[in-house]
Amino acid sequence: MNKKYLIFLLLILMTASFGMLACNKVDYPAGLPEYDNYYYVGFMPWNNKPVSVDRSQTSLLALPVQFHSAFTRNYDAVAHYKLDYTGITDPAKVGVDFDIVDKSGSVLKMEGDSVYTMTFPEAKEAYDTIYVKLLHNSAQGTRTVNINLSLNETAQYTVGIFSQAFSRPIQIQ
């Protein structure tokens, strides 16, 4: 090949490369207004896998949760989670096998039908933890409960859930 041809070809390639790198930044819109006050909550790690725990465990079982938000608001967003026994033949019972507690071990009160809450100040993106205290019930066999994050819709905002990280089955053995 001719040396001049190679240099010419190289110059064309370099010019085309610089042209692509110099593209203007596109300013995308922030999103649809109906989703400006819509947040998501999910368990970490990002899955719905069960957690097995020995009934004699004395330390609190910590279930990390992530609250997703792109904004800071003038209100606090509240996420809900529930105890779910659907389809479980030998359920672990609150007050018998376990309690839902705060990080110091104080029992949290349920709101309504097995519903607990987590508050995220100013609806800022954050992490929090659901704590489970085992009560060392001596009943034989594995007892299970699902702790499920659930949709919370208010007039001001909605806290939704992710299908791949909304449930944390607890198996007490």
Side-chain angles (χ1 to χ4, degrees), residues 60-61 83 93-102 105-108 110 116 130-136 147 172:
L60 299 178
L61 174 62
L83 305 179
K93 299 211 173 116
V94 68
V96 176
D97 297 296
F98 69 95
D99 277 323
I100 302 296
V101 298
D102 63 17
S106 298
V107 176
L108 298 178
M110 275 188 244
Y116 295 90
I130 297 171
Y131 293 98
V132 179
K133 180 179 182 180
L134 299 175
L135 300 179
H136 316 294
I147 300 177
I172 303 171

Side-chain angles (χ1 to χ4, degrees), residues 76-123:
D76 297 342
V78 177
H80 288 174
Y81 59 100
K82 298 179 180 184
L83 305 179
D84 181 25
Y85 302 102
T86 306
I88 299 173
T89 55
D90 197 12
K93 299 211 173 116
V94 68
V96 176
D97 297 296
F98 69 95
D99 277 323
I100 302 296
V101 298
D102 63 17
K103 64 182 171 185
S104 65
S106 298
V107 176
L108 298 178
K109 288 178 78 174
M110 275 188 244
E111 296 181 14
D113 185 30
S114 299
V115 175
Y116 295 90
T117 62
M118 301 175 86
T119 301
F120 296 93
E122 297 180 321

